[in-house]
Structures are given as structure tokens and as C-alpha cells.
């Protein structure tokens, strides 16, 4: 099959349409990228700010609890101070130091600054100048006592040399507490993200654009230059199909691009939320670390008291135990005693013993580069022996890290950065720096699990799009039928009209096609009526009897000039000559009139034997009276040559007269469906015939006109008055050059 014969679309048209669609697709890509850029994908700084505020609140609660305990006369050394990284606690009563705990790095402060600052803060209410002087030992800048009071229970940043530290002061009645952080908690209170295995969403892929544009071009060619697109019946329907499927294709491209951008944004939002959840989880893990240490301290105390004999946790932590007495630096009573524990007891046993209070808390202790934590208790109230447990901070962290793995939500994984973690291609990984662990941690979750809802959403959307586009094909088919069926009917009707069959169409729709079919039926009805009149009525009169819609009307009225002419003594001619000669003469005579009338725009209303009635309508020409006179002149000028030819052929000659009247003429169609007649009435019709009868008195042109024609054409033609007794007004004869007649 030669598919070029369909010729429904040129290659240039397909190329131009493809170019337009591809430009629009590129615009979709750019617009989609702009939408991605404008999407708010989360504000981590806001989350961190809220977490910082929660840290301030928690710190205030801890300090308030400690002040209440001191106010209730609790032993300051037996209070449980919350474990906060790099925190150094100072307690004073009436401005005098009574207790200090925690680690404090060398900040380059003046000697005994704690005593000066706490005393100045206490007596500042009585003497603000003393406070301003003594506060310089810590804050190292002038600060008023009123401003200092406003800062109570608030964490304040402080720069001391190269150290960015922070402090918080609180006072209640006689007691006051100052907590100093060796590094600003705002730098480490929130787990910091070091690496995230997700990129910022984007759809600006040149390869995707090129592939999509090529697919568009290929589909257009398949639809419109191969047999695939020729199942559409009508050529115009195929052309309409071009735009239909092109729009569907464009819509598909738009949906694919938009869905792609939406999916990427959703994935990024999910990743952001997971990142915040990971940070929050690690923050919660760190906040629960102090509780873990309390439980660990309770176990260690039970172990040192001998209440717990064997404990798997002790083996995992590698707890080392010894005891110290006043007489001996250490005493080897515990099976867990090791060389390191003996060394610690030998070096620091006396210092531990001289504390003379029951700690029951893990305290950081450093042996060179080795970081250990120790806890000691009095063996009994009567005994002067102190039992000591020693374990490494790293062991505590490792043990706690194992416990938190079992508390993670389903699908989450956690690992040390030093360990092997999941692949970035299959898992979403977030590297976080911890405030309590001496290693960074990695949270992971399978992308299949993390994006499961998004994948289901994407699948549902694409299924819906696929179903919609499948339904678009039959919908177009029925749409094509709804267009081609009425057009087929109209084409068949036109074919019938061509064969002069006046069959109307069955109207089955109320849309524009239905309107066209109704107009077609009206046209056929009009043509049917005209066909019945066309056998005996001039075409010009049929046009005159048609309204603006082409429908025939039964009656009209218009200004007109009526020309009436007949042959003199026609009865005698008919009796004295053969009928064939008479008919031949009439045919040639009427041909002269037909030619002149057609030239001047008149209408031959009817023939009456040898007479002819011609009407010049105002609606056809504003100079209708002049056209009537000129038409009569044309005929009279040809009569001399007509008679001369007949004389030379030895045929009888004829003479005729013309009467012209101007006025209102009414046309009416009378009769039935079998036979109809056109009836012209009006004073002008009657007077034109009477004027023709007076043409016998004419001496010049034999063309007689009434007063109305004379007034209308007197500047174009010359006239001579004719005496008469039949008309109330004057009548006139047209003067012509005798050579013309």
C-alpha cells in the first residue's frame, strides 16, 4: 500500500509541530526545576534552635532541683549532679564555696576566681560595685548587677582567650550554683550532620529531555506517516487527531515531568525528615545517657558491696576493682583486681581515701593518655576501708551503643563510622557527630522502606495515567464517529441535491452539526420550492422572492420601472403568414430583448404572446429608471437592422412600441403545488401597457414614458410632450436621432 497517497500531513508540518512540542517540553523541565527550587524543604536551623531551647530548659530544671535539695539541707556532696559533657559545677553558701565537681580545663583565669565570683554574686545585691569588680575574674568585661540578675538560669556564651565557653548562674536564698562548660553547649548539644547520602532534587537532565523529545517525534511520525494513523476515516478527522494526540502527548510529557519533580521533592522531604529524626533520636540517646550511667553506678555500688557476684555487663565493661585502707594503699580482696587497678590504688589511693565521703558516682580520671572512670564507696559505716571500681570511658560508650541498637525503630540501622555501613545506592545514610561517644555514628535506613509510600504513590499515579490514556483511544474513536457520521449524512445530502433529489436529513444531534443539518434541510426545502417555480418564473424573480436566509416568500413590494412592449398588428401578421415564420420571428425578436435586458440588469417578468413585460427593480440598481429607458433605446436601435435583414431575406418586417411607467410594484405567488403563477400588480404595470398603446402617436422613438420617469431621467435624455386624454398627468416621448431608428 502506498501510504503517501493519504497525504494527510507534510513532513514540514510534523517537523514544525515536533519543534513546538519539544520547546514546550523543555519549558516544562525548566518550570519543574523552578518549582523544586521554590519548595520549602525544611529548616534544620529551626529544629536546632528548638533543641537548644530544650537544653536550656532542662539545665534550668536541673539547677532548680539542686537548689531545692540544698534548701532542704541535703548533704551537698551526696547530691546527684546531672552528667553533662564538659560541665564543672560550683556550689556556694552565702557566697562561700562548699563544693566543686567536674572537669575544668586551663582557661587562663585568675587564681581562686571561683571564690571571688561566687562571693561577688552573693553580696552584689548590697554592693553592686563589688560584684562588678569580682565578676571580671570570670566574664572579663564590665557587667551590671541588674543585667546579671536578668540572666539567671540562662545559658550565656563567653569568650575567654581562644576558648568559647558558657556559664549559667542560679541563686535561691543562701545557696547559689554556677555551672561552667569548657566548650559552648550550643556547639555540641545538638548532634551535627557530617555527611548525608542524598543530593538536592533536580530534574534538569539533558539526556531525559533529548529522549523525551525523540519519543515525541517518533510518535507523531507513527501516527501521521504510517498506517497506524490511517484507521481514522475522514481526512479532516485525521488532521484533528493530530492535535488531539499531540495534546495528549504533551499532557503526558507534562505529567511525567511534574510527577518526576514531585517524587524528587517528596524523596528529599522524606530524607530531610529522616535526617531530623536521626538527629532527634541521637539527641534522645544522649539525653538518656545520664540515666544509663545512674543505673551503671547502682550496679557498680552493688558489686562493690558484694551484693552482685557475677554480672555479664561487668565482663563486657572490663571493670577493675581494688580497695584502699588508711593503713595500706590498697588491699587485694576482689577477684577482679588487675595490675592497672593496683597501680591506680598505689598512685591515687591515698587521694581517694582522703575524700572522706561516699561518692557513689562515676568520676573521670586520667592516667596519662588512658581515660578511665572510677567509683568508690565506704565498705561499711564502721570500716575505714574504701572499695574502688575502675573502668574505661570507651567501654561504657561501647556498652551503651549496643543497648541503643535494640531500641531503634523498625528498619533503622546504626553503626560506628569505623565499621562497615550500608551502601549509599541502596540505603539512606546520615553521618552524625556525637556529644557523648568518642566516635561518630551512622544512621541508615533502606531506601525501599523509606520511600515505600512514595513508590506506591508513584505507581498509582502512573497506573491512572496509563488507564486514562488507554481510555483516550476509544474516546477519540467515538468522538470521531460523532463527527464523521453527521458529515457523511451531509455529504450524501449534497450528492442528492446535485442529482436534484430534495431529501431532507434526519437530525440526531443538538450540537453545531445539528444546526448545520437544520440549515441544510431549510436550504433543501427552499430549493424544492424554487424548483417548482423555476419552470415558469425567471431566476431573477426567484432571487427577488428569497429572503436573507434564502427562503421563498409569497409576496414582495418594491419600487420599479415597468417596460411594456408589443408588436403592431400582430394579429394580422399571424393570419397572413405561416406559423413557423411567425414563431421564428418572435424568437429572434425576443432574443434582442433578452440581450438588452440582461445587459441593463432588468427582469423579464413574462411573455404574453407578442408582448413582453420587463421590470427594473430599485433593489438591483438605484438608477433603475435610467436602465429601463436605456434598455428600450438599445432594442429600438437594433430594430432597424433587424427589419433590414428580414427585408433582404424577403421576410415580413415588424414594428413595435414601448411604454415605461415608474412606481410601486407588488409580486405575489399564486396557485398550488401542481401549478403556480407569479402575479405582478400595481399602477405602474397597468400604466405601462396603456402608455405602449399610445406609442402609435409617437413621431420620434415610439418610446412613451410617464411623468415619474420623465422627472427621474430628464437630465439624461431628451423628451417631447404628447397630448393625451387618458392620463391626468403629462406623458412624454423619448427623442432619438433618426439615424438610430
Amino acid at each position: 500500500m502506498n501510504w503517501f497517497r493519504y497525504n494527510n500531513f507534510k513532513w514540514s508540518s510534523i517537523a514544525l509541530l515536533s519543534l513546538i512540542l519539544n520547546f514546550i517540553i523543555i519549558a516544562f523541565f525548566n518550570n519543574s526545576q523552578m518549582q523544586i527550587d521554590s519548595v520549602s524543604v525544611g529548616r534544620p536551623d529551626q529544629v536546632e534552635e528548638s533543641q537548644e531551647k530544650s537544653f536550656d530548659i532542662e539545665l534550668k530544671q536541673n539547677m532548680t532541683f539542686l537548689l531545692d535539695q540544698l534548701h532542704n539541707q541535703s548533704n551537698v556532696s551526696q547530691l546527684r549532679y546531672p552528667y553533662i559533657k564538659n560541665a564543672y559545677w560550683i556550689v556556694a553558701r552565702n557566697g562561700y564555696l562548699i563544693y566543686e565537681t567536674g572537669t575544668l580545663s586551663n582557661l587562663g583565669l585568675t587564681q581562686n576566681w571561683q571564690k571571688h565570683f561566687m562571693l561577688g554574686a552573693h553580696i552584689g545585691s548590697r554592693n553592686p560595685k563589688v560584684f562588678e569588680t569580682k565578676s571580671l575574674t570570670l566574664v572579663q568585661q564590665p557587667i551590671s548587677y541588674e543585667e546579671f540578675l536578668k540572666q539567671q538560669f540562662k545559658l550565656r556564651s563567653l569568650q575567654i582567650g581562644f576558648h568559647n565557653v558558657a556559664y549559667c548562674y542560679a541563686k535561691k536564698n543562701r545557696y547559689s550554683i554556677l555551672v561552667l562548660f569548657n566548650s559552648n553547649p550550643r556547639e555540641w548539644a545538638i548532634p551535627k550532620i557530617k555527611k548525608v547520602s542524598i543530593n538536592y532534587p533536580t530534574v534538569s537532565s539533558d539526556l531525559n529531555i533529548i529522549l523525551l523529545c525523540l519519543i515525541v517525534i517518533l510518535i507523531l511520525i507513527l501516527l501521521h506517516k504510517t498506517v497506524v494513523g490511517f484507521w481514522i476515516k475522514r481526512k479532516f478527522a485525521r488532521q484533528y487527531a493530530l492535535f488531539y494526540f499531540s495534546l495528549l502527548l504533551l499532557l503526558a510529557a507534562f505529567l511525567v515531568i511534574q510527577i518526576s519533580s514531585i517524587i524528587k521533592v517528596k524523596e528529599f522531604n522524606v530524607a530531610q525528615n529522616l535526617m531530623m529524626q536521626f538527629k532527634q533520636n541521637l539527641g534522645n540517646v544522649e539525653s538518656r545517657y545520664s540515666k544509663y550511667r545512674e543505673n551503671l553506678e547502682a550496679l557498680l555500688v552493688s558489686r562493690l558491696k558484694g551484693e552482685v557476684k557475677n554480672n555479664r555487663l561487668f565482663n563486657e565493661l572490663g571493670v577493675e576493682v581494688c580497695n584502699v585502707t588508711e593503713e595500706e594503699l590498697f588491699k587485694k580482696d576482689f577477684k577482679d583486681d588487675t595490675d592497672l587497678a593496683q597501680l591506680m590504688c598505689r598512685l591515687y589511693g591515698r587521694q581517694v581515701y582522703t575524700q572522706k565521703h561516699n561518692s557513689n558516682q562515676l568520676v573521670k580520671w586520667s592516667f596519662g593518655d588512658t581515660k578511665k572512670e572510677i567509683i568508690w564507696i565506704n565498705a561499711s559505716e564502721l570500716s575505714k576501708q574504701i572499695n574502688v571500681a575502675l573502668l574505661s570511658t570507651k567501654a561504657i560508650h561501647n556498652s551503651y551503643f549496643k543497648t541503643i541498637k535494640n531500641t531503634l525503630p523498625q528498619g533503622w540501622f546504626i553503626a560506628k563510622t569505623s565499621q562497615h555501613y550500608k551502601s549509599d545506592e541502596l540505603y539512606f545514610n546520615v553521618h552524625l557527630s556525637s556529644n557523648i561517644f568518642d566516635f561518630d555514628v551512622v544512621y541508615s535506613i533502606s531506601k525501599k522502606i523509606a520511600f515505600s509510600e512514595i513508590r506506591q504513590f508513584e505507581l498509582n499515579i502512573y497506573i491512572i495515567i496509563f488507564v486514562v490514556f488507554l481510555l483516550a483511544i476509544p474516546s477519540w474513536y467515538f468522538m470521531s464517529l460523532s463527527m464523521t457520521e453527521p458529515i457523511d449524512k451531509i455529504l450524501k445530502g449534497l450528492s442528492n441535491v446535485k442529482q436534484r433529489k430534495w431529501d431532507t436529513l434526519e437530525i440526531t444531534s443538538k450540537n453545531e452539526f445539528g444546526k448545520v443539518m437544520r440549515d441544510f434541510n431549510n436550504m433543501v426545502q427552499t430549493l424544492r420550492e424554487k424548483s417548482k417555480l423555476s419552470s415558469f418564473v425567471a431566476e431573477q424573480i426567484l432571487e427577488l422572492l428569497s429572503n436573507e436566509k434564502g427562503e421563498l416568500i409569497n409576496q414582495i413590494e418594491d419600487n420599479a420601472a415597468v417596460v411594456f412592449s408589443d408588436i403592431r398588428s400582430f394579429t394580422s401578421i399571424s393570419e397572413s403568414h405561416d406559423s413557423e415564420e411567425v414563431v421564428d420571428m418572435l424568437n429572434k425578436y425576443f432574443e434582442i430583448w433578452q440581450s438588452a435586458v440582461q445587459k441593463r440588469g432588468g427582469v423579464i417578468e413574462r411573455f404574453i404572446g407578442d408582448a413582453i413585460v420587463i421590470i427594473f427593480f430599485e433593489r438591483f440598481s438605484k438608477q433603475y429608471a435610467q436602465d429601463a429607458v436605456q434598455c428600450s433605446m438599445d432594442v429600438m436601435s437594433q430594430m432597424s437592422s433587424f427589419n433590414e435583414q428580414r427585408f433582404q431575406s424577403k421576410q415580413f418586417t415588424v414594428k413595435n412600441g414601448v411604454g415605461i411607467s415608474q412606481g410601486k410594484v407588488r409580486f405575489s405567488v399564486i396557485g398550488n403545488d401542481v401549478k403556480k403563477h407569479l402575479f405582478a400588480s400595481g399602477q405602474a404595470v397597468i400604466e405601462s401597457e396603456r402608455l405602449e398603446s399610445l406609442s402609435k402617436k409617437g413621431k420620434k422613438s415610439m418610446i412613451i414614458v410617464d411623468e415619474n420617469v420623465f422627472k427621474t431621467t430628464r437630465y439624461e435624455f431628451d423628451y417631447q410632450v404628447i397630448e393625451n386624454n387618458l392620463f391626468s398627468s403629462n406623458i412624454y416621448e423619448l427623442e432619438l436621432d433618426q439615424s438610430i431608428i
Side-chain angles (χ1 to χ4, degrees):
M1 182 179 67
N2 183 9
W3 50 267
F4 284 104
R5 66 184 177 88
Y6 288 95
N7 194 28
N8 51 341
F9 297 107
K10 297 180 180 178
W11 285 103
S12 58
S13 301
I14 296 178
L16 179 60
L17 184 61
S18 300
L19 184 63
I20 294 174
L21 292 179
N22 291 336
F23 274 126
I24 296 176
I25 290 173
I26 294 173
F28 285 163
F29 268 101
N30 294 332
N31 178 66
S32 182
Q33 184 59 46
M34 292 175 61
Q35 291 179 353
I36 288 178
D37 293 338
S38 63
V39 170
S40 174
V41 291
R43 292 282 304 278
D45 56 328
Q46 294 179 355
V47 178
E48 292 177 2
E49 181 181 358
S50 63
Q51 291 185 357
E52 288 176 357
K53 291 181 179 179
S54 65
F55 177 81
D56 293 350
I57 294 173
E58 184 178 357
L59 179 62
K60 179 180 178 180
Q61 292 174 347
N62 290 330
M63 296 183 72
T64 302
F65 176 77
L66 290 174
L67 289 171
D68 291 339
Q69 293 295 315
L70 291 170
H71 183 69
N72 294 331
Q73 297 181 353
S74 299
N75 189 336
V76 64
S77 61
Q78 294 180 350
L79 293 179
R80 183 171 297 280
Y81 296 90
Y83 176 81
I84 303 177
K85 182 180 179 181
N86 296 330
Y88 186 72
W89 297 85
I90 302 173
V91 182
R93 182 173 55 236
N94 295 328
Y96 294 97
L97 297 183
I98 59 175
Y99 186 73
E100 295 180 60
T101 185
T103 57
L104 181 64
S105 62
N106 184 13
L107 300 178
L109 297 173
T110 58
Q111 190 175 6
N112 296 326
W113 64 269
Q114 304 95 319
K115 297 180 180 179
H116 293 289
F117 183 85
M118 299 301 287
L119 182 61
H122 178 72
I123 65 178
S125 58
R126 299 192 302 270
N127 193 342
K129 292 185 178 180
V130 173
F131 166 76
E132 294 176 4
T133 301
K134 293 188 175 295
S135 65
L136 293 176
T137 58
L138 175 62
V139 298
Q140 299 184 352
Q141 59 181 351
I143 180 174
S144 65
Y145 187 72
E146 291 77 8
E147 182 180 358
F148 177 72
L149 287 179
K150 294 178 182 179
Q151 298 176 359
Q152 280 203 89
F153 292 106
K154 294 182 180 180
L155 188 65
R156 310 300 299 179
S157 298
L158 188 65
Q159 189 71 33
I160 302 177
F162 295 101
H163 301 279
N164 184 12
V165 300
Y167 72 92
C168 185
Y169 178 83
K171 178 181 178 183
K172 184 176 182 181
N173 299 329
R174 296 181 301 164
Y175 293 94
S176 58
I177 297 177
L178 174 71
V179 57
L180 180 66
F181 299 94
N182 292 329
S183 60
N184 196 333
R186 300 198 186 282
E187 296 181 353
W188 50 260
I190 308 160
K192 299 296 182 181
I193 297 177
K194 303 184 70 174
K195 180 183 177 183
V196 182
S197 61
I198 188 169
N199 297 323
Y200 193 77
T202 178
V203 295
S204 297
S205 173
D206 295 335
L207 181 59
N208 291 339
I209 294 176
I210 293 173
L211 290 176
L212 195 53
C213 291
L214 290 176
I215 291 173
V216 169
I217 296 173
L218 179 61
I219 292 178
L220 289 179
I221 293 175
L222 288 175
L223 284 175
H224 308 297
K225 278 299 181 183
T226 66
V227 295
V228 176
F230 296 139
W231 57 274
I232 304 173
K233 186 175 181 181
R234 293 289 176 186
K235 181 177 179 180
F236 89 93
R238 291 197 299 270
Q239 293 173 342
Y240 187 60
L242 169 66
F243 298 100
Y244 181 83
F245 286 107
S246 298
L247 288 176
L248 286 179
L249 190 63
L250 189 62
L251 178 61
F254 173 76
L255 291 176
V256 169
I257 296 171
Q258 287 297 104
I259 291 172
S260 175
S261 62
I262 291 173
I263 294 302
K264 289 178 180 296
V265 170
K266 282 183 171 290
E267 288 179 355
F268 190 71
N269 285 333
V270 169
Q272 287 282 64
N273 292 334
L274 284 172
M275 182 173 61
M276 295 300 105
Q277 292 177 24
F278 291 157
K279 291 176 63 177
Q280 184 178 5
N281 183 268
L282 185 57
N284 294 335
V285 167
E286 293 177 346
S287 65
R288 295 193 300 268
Y289 181 64
S290 58
K291 184 65 176 177
Y292 173 80
R293 289 176 63 90
E294 291 179 7
N295 295 334
L296 180 60
E297 290 168 356
L299 287 173
L300 291 173
V301 169
S302 299
R303 181 71 177 86
L304 292 175
K305 288 182 178 180
E307 297 174 358
V308 178
K309 298 299 182 181
N310 297 313
N311 193 300
R312 182 176 56 84
L313 180 62
F314 278 63
N315 297 329
E316 292 179 358
L317 294 175
V319 179
E320 303 168 321
V321 181
C322 65
N323 51 42
V324 180
T325 62
E326 185 176 5
E327 294 80 11
E328 297 182 89
L329 291 179
F330 71 96
K331 187 176 181 181
K332 187 177 180 180
D333 288 343
F334 288 90
K335 295 181 180 179
D336 299 326
D337 190 11
T338 62
D339 294 338
L340 184 60
Q342 296 178 23
L343 178 61
M344 188 282 300
C345 287
R346 289 181 182 277
L347 295 177
Y348 300 101
R350 182 67 65 183
Q351 182 178 355
V352 171
Y353 185 81
T354 55
Q355 294 290 332
K356 296 186 182 299
H357 60 263
N358 186 6
S359 171
N360 294 347
Q361 280 187 292
L362 284 168
V363 179
K364 291 185 178 180
W365 209 286
S366 297
F367 301 95
D369 295 333
T370 303
K371 294 181 179 180
K372 294 286 185 177
E373 298 197 27
I374 64 173
I375 185 172
W376 61 86
I377 62 169
N378 291 328
S380 64
E381 295 181 358
L382 300 177
S383 173
K384 295 182 179 181
Q385 177 178 309
I386 295 176
N387 298 335
V388 180
L390 178 69
L391 66 164
S392 68
T393 303
K394 183 177 181 180
I396 297 176
H397 288 176
N398 290 337
S399 176
Y400 184 57
F401 186 75
K402 290 180 180 179
T403 60
I404 64 175
K405 285 185 175 182
N406 301 325
T407 62
L408 292 177
Q410 185 177 3
W412 286 25
F413 303 94
I414 190 171
K416 301 178 183 179
T417 51
S418 57
Q419 298 174 343
H420 176 72
Y421 54 88
K422 308 295 183 180
S423 170
D424 288 344
E425 296 181 359
L426 301 177
Y427 287 82
F428 172 65
N429 301 312
V430 177
H431 298 230
L432 298 174
S433 60
S434 174
N435 300 314
I436 61 172
F437 299 127
D438 51 1
F439 50 83
D440 294 336
V441 298
V442 180
Y443 278 91
S444 302
I445 186 172
S446 171
K447 290 182 179 180
K448 183 177 180 181
I449 297 176
F451 302 145
S452 59
E453 294 184 1
I454 297 177
R455 295 291 172 263
Q456 187 62 43
F457 166 79
E458 184 179 12
L459 178 62
N460 293 338
I461 291 294
Y462 283 121
I463 290 175
I464 292 174
I465 293 175
F466 180 74
V467 172
V468 169
F469 276 85
L470 282 182
L471 294 177
I473 296 177
S475 69
W476 163 250
Y477 177 74
F478 290 110
M479 187 186 304
S480 175
L481 288 181
S482 67
M483 292 187 298
T484 55
E485 286 182 354
I487 290 177
D488 288 339
K489 291 182 179 180
I490 295 173
L491 291 176
K492 184 177 180 181
L494 291 173
S495 177
N496 291 336
V497 169
K498 187 176 180 181
Q499 300 174 14
R500 303 189 66 82
K501 296 179 181 179
W502 317 115
D503 298 331
T504 57
L505 303 177
E506 180 184 0
I507 301 175
T508 57
S509 58
K510 298 181 180 180
N511 54 18
E512 286 76 6
F513 287 112
K515 183 178 182 302
V516 171
M517 296 172 74
R518 285 192 295 272
D519 293 341
F520 178 85
N521 289 341
N522 294 334
M523 180 193 71
V524 169
Q525 185 67 29
T526 302
L527 291 175
R528 181 189 297 138
E529 295 176 0
K530 286 184 178 181
S531 67
K532 294 178 182 179
L533 291 173
S534 61
S535 60
F536 58 89
V537 177
E539 187 67 28
Q540 294 92 330
I541 295 178
L542 291 177
E543 182 179 352
L544 187 66
L545 290 171
S546 300
N547 59 14
E548 295 178 353
K549 297 181 179 180
E551 301 171 345
L552 287 177
I553 55 179
N554 293 328
Q555 182 175 286
I556 64 152
E557 189 176 74
D558 193 17
N559 292 325
V562 181
V563 178
F564 187 91
S565 176
D566 68 351
I567 299 174
R568 305 278 175 82
S569 304
F570 182 72
T571 303
S572 300
I573 294 173
S574 300
E575 293 175 352
S576 59
H577 294 84
D578 186 68
S579 61
E580 293 182 358
E581 292 180 311
V582 174
V583 172
D584 181 65
M585 179 275 296
L586 286 176
N587 287 335
K588 293 179 180 179
Y589 172 74
F590 287 143
E591 285 180 3
I592 295 174
W593 275 107
Q594 179 70 33
S595 177
V597 170
Q598 186 175 2
K599 179 180 179 181
R600 299 300 175 182
V603 175
I604 299 176
E605 190 264 341
R606 66 182 180 270
F607 297 100
I608 310 173
D610 63 322
I612 184 171
V613 180
I614 305 164
I615 305 175
F616 291 86
F617 298 101
E618 183 181 15
R619 66 178 60 188
F620 291 158
S621 174
K622 298 298 181 182
Q623 299 178 349
Y624 61 97
Q626 291 90 329
D627 293 336
V629 175
Q630 189 65 55
C631 177
S632 301
M633 290 174 58
D634 294 341
V635 172
M636 299 306 287
S637 65
Q638 295 182 50
M639 287 304 295
S640 58
S641 60
F642 174 72
N643 285 323
E644 184 178 354
Q645 291 177 2
R646 292 186 63 79
F647 179 77
Q648 292 177 356
S649 301
K650 297 180 181 183
Q651 295 177 328
F652 62 89
T653 60
V654 294
K655 291 183 179 181
N656 65 325
V658 178
I660 305 175
S661 179
Q662 180 181 352
K664 289 285 186 180
V665 176
R666 181 180 295 105
F667 286 90
S668 302
V669 179
I670 59 175
N672 52 33
D673 293 339
V674 178
K675 188 175 182 179
K676 291 185 178 182
H677 294 281
L678 180 66
F679 177 72
S681 61
Q683 189 64 30
V685 178
I686 299 172
E687 289 188 356
S688 64
E689 185 175 357
R690 294 169 62 189
L691 288 170
E692 189 278 328
S693 65
L694 294 175
S695 64
K696 299 175 183 179
K697 297 181 179 182
K699 299 177 180 179
K700 299 291 184 180
S701 63
M702 306 302 176
I703 300 174
I704 310 301
V705 302
D706 63 3
E707 185 76 21
N708 293 331
V709 176
F710 169 75
K711 290 180 179 180
T712 304
T713 63
R714 60 182 174 177
Y715 297 109
E716 285 80 12
F717 307 103
D718 296 328
Y719 294 97
Q720 183 179 356
V721 179
I722 297 178
E723 296 180 359
N724 71 91
N725 297 323
L726 298 176
F727 290 87
S728 59
S729 59
N730 293 328
I731 61 174
Y732 303 86
E733 182 183 13
L734 180 66
E735 291 187 353
L736 292 176
D737 189 352
Q738 292 296 325
S739 62
I740 298 177
I741 301 175

